Amino acid sequence: MPGHTACLAHISDAQRATYLAGLAPGDTIDHRGTSFTEQLLSDLLDAFRDPATMEVRLGSAIFESVTFEGDARFDSATFEGAADFGAVTFKGACNFASATFEARAGFESATFKGDAGFESATFKGDAGFESATFRRDAWFESATFRRDANFTSATFEGHALFASSTFESRARFGSATFEGHALFASSTFESHAEFGSSTFDGDAWFESATIEGSGWYESATFRRDAWFESATFRRDAWFESATFRRDAWFESAAFNGAAWFESVTIDGDACFALATFTNADRFGPLVCAGQVKLSGATFGSPVTLSVVARHLVCRRTRWSSTAEIQLRYATLDFAHAVFEYPLTIAAESDPFLLTDGRQLVEAAFAAAPGPGVRVASLRGVDAAHLVLSDLDLAGCLFVGTVHLDQLRLEGACTFDTAPPGVHWRRRLPVRFTERRILAEEHHWRAGRAGAVQGWNVEVVGAGRAGPIQLAPVYRALRKSFEDSKHEPGAADFYYGEMEMRRHAGDIPRSERGLLTAYWALSGYGLRASRALAWLGAAMLLTIVLLMVFGLARDTPKQTATGTVPAGGGKVTFEIDKDDPANPTGPWFTGERFEKALGVTLNSVVFRSSGQDLTTAGTYIEMASRLTEPVLLGLAVLAIRNRVKR
């Protein structure tokens, strides 16, 4: 105390009364190092109470290294000068609710052992809380920070409550530790919000927050859920190297600038549903051990998405410009996505590279079998501008996809196949033709009566898609493969189209019978082995029939007959040939086999052998000349479809 050898707490009562009586509202005080009881602080503040308004008004107030033994009540107080509370210890609760700091407010290294109440406080100058420690809850709801708010390295051991606060200048929370919940819901950051390297041990609530400047969260750690629902980032949002130990919620968030999520690690799910990315040119690469949900999100500029996740859901996601989606390990649901410009979805075989050249760490997928990417659905998508590269389409749902004939498939895009091997159906062996098959057909066949094992019935979302719906899908994919000069692949989808037509219930029975015959004889002109097998059987049958019924018993002899005129002169002979005699046996001799084989081989190439045949043999040869060339042609056609480029 000026003029004394002790502090305010240790001077005599008379001296203290004299000192307090000499104070007036707006005066400057310096009580650094003093220990205040509740009563002493109350007496001091009463000396600064304006009689007209009953509000406390202080000038510059220096409370550096002060210890407040009980509750410290500064609610509604006005600090007209600098307020220095550096290294202060509040052993009880402190209340600065509705307080006004006209100049700088310094709480650096302060320790708040009880609740700290700054609700509706107004900081017109800089607010310094660097390295402050809040042992219990810190209440900053509806507080207003007109200039910089610095909470760098602060520790909040209780809940940090900044809901509806307004930071009119830079807000610094770098390296801060929030051991309880951090509530910044509906807060407004009119300049930059810096939370780099901060640690959130409890839930972090930033829903409906507005950050007019850049939001810096690089290297931050969120140990529980992080809520950024409906948050607005007017400029860049930096989450580089941030770690989310549980779920990250960005539903309906608005990113008006760049959205930097490079090297982000999310151990739970990440929800960006209905989020808006206005000018983001890249998203990721990030690692999510669970599901990344972009359903309903909107991308307004050319963007590259690089995601390592178990699931990526892009239902009704909208791209207003070109885009590329690079994935690893993920199952992609792309149903009803909307895009008007070229969009590429590709599986990356190698780990993503960061901007500094390092590889993205994928520790959450160390035990995964491979980085392959599976597509779950393309339903409702206009595929006119869609390119798929190196994707697993075995479980993909295609029914309802628009302009599927313009879909481009690059690299090793794989489809499901028919169950391999021989199966038994009603005690009869069944072997399915090896070909590319859609997931919906798997589901349909698995649900039929008497279905054999191997068809996949667990196709999620397949619904009641049947042959009528699948036939045009196969037709469109066939055209897509044909346009890309991939004839063998197109042949598989032609086979599927014909199979669906054969099983569809909207075609006449006669047409279905014709398709069944076409399938049985040559696999719709695509299975050379089947046509050759039928050709061999037909030839064998022809040979046997000719040997039994078609070849004459003996070679007919030619005879010449004529009449010699009685008076001599010109003699005329008529040469005739005996009718072939029906064979009586033995039928199966080497000579007869050789003749029958010659007739049959000539029939295959649609030629007449010139062999003497019985009447039955003539009809047998005619039938052979009609059927066997057709079977040979089907075999040639099937081979051509497999080697054509």
Side-chain angles (χ1 to χ4, degrees), residues 69-362:
E69 299 292 344
D71 294 343
R73 300 185 59 86
F74 289 88
D75 46 306
S76 300
T78 299
F79 296 84
E80 297 177 350
D84 186 357
F85 288 84
V88 164
T89 299
F90 295 91
K91 291 186 176 182
C94 71
N95 189 357
F96 288 86
S98 300
T100 301
F101 298 87
E102 299 285 350
R104 186 181 187 280
F107 289 83
E108 297 88 347
S109 300
T111 300
F112 300 82
K113 294 185 177 181
D115 290 344
F118 288 85
E119 306 98 309
S120 301
T122 300
F123 297 85
K124 295 183 178 181
D126 293 342
F129 288 84
E130 300 99 313
S131 301
T133 300
F134 297 84
R135 296 286 173 81
R136 297 186 64 180
D137 296 345
W139 301 78
F140 285 84
E141 289 99 331
S142 302
T144 299
F145 297 84
R146 296 284 173 81
R147 299 187 63 181
D148 291 353
N150 193 342
F151 289 81
T152 303
S153 300
T155 300
F156 299 84
E157 296 183 3
H159 301 319
L161 308 171
F162 288 84
S164 301
S165 296
T166 300
F167 299 84
E168 297 184 3
S169 188
R170 188 184 298 265
R172 294 187 176 98
F173 289 84
S175 300
T177 299
F178 300 86
E179 296 184 3
H181 299 321
L183 184 62
F184 289 86
S186 301
S187 293
T188 300
F189 299 85
E190 297 185 1
S191 184
H192 303 310
E194 300 178 6
F195 289 85
S197 300
S198 296
T199 300
F200 298 84
D201 291 335
D203 291 342
W205 302 80
F206 287 86
E207 67 267 47
S208 300
T210 300
I211 304 176
E212 299 289 346
S214 296
W216 301 82
Y217 295 85
E218 67 273 24
S219 300
T221 300
F222 299 85
R223 300 194 185 279
R224 296 188 62 180
D225 293 344
W227 302 84
F228 288 85
E229 292 177 298
S230 300
T232 300
F233 297 87
R234 300 290 187 195
R235 296 178 63 182
D236 297 344
W238 298 83
F239 286 86
E240 289 179 280
S241 301
T243 300
F244 297 84
R245 295 300 184 191
R246 293 176 61 176
D247 297 339
W249 297 88
F250 289 86
E251 186 172 357
S252 300
F255 299 89
N256 294 337
W260 295 92
F261 285 84
E262 183 178 77
S263 193
V264 166
T265 300
I266 305 169
D267 293 341
D269 295 334
C271 181
F272 292 86
L274 301 175
T276 301
F277 299 85
T278 304
N279 294 303
D281 61 349
R282 59 184 300 184
F283 180 82
L286 61 82
V287 178
C288 180
Q291 171 181 272
V292 176
K293 189 173 183 179
L294 287 168
S295 297
T298 301
F299 292 87
S301 62
V303 63
T304 299
L305 286 80
S306 303
V307 178
V308 181
R310 300 201 185 279
H311 299 277
L312 176 62
V313 183
C314 294
R315 287 178 170 267
R316 295 180 177 83
T317 306
R318 180 181 295 273
W319 282 268
S320 299
S321 187
T322 57
E324 181 179 7
I325 304 176
Q326 303 170 344
L327 301 173
R328 285 172 58 80
Y329 298 101
T331 296
L332 172 65
D333 185 350
F334 212 65
H336 304 286
V338 179
F339 47 93
E340 302 174 5
Y341 298 89
L343 187 146
T344 301
I345 305 174
E348 296 295 321
S349 58
D350 298 322
F352 293 116
L353 293 179
L354 305 177
T355 53
D356 58 5
R358 295 181 296 112
Q359 286 188 346
L360 179 66
V361 178
E362 303 172 347

Side-chain angles (χ1 to χ4, degrees), residues 442-462:
H442 260 273
H443 181 77
W444 169 73
R445 289 187 179 274
R448 300 182 68 197
V452 302
Q453 297 294 325
W455 295 108
N456 184 12
V457 69
E458 297 180 357
V459 179
V460 179

Side-chain angles (χ1 to χ4, degrees), residues 14-51:
Q15 292 173 329
R16 185 181 307 113
T18 302
Y19 169 73
L20 294 177
L23 296 177
D27 284 353
T28 296
I29 56 173
D30 182 355
H31 290 292
R32 71 187 74 186
T34 303
S35 180
F36 280 87
T37 63
E38 287 188 43
Q39 185 59 49
L40 179 59
L41 178 61
S42 177
D43 293 343
L44 175 64
L45 296 181
D46 284 342
F48 292 95
R49 196 173 301 278
D50 191 331

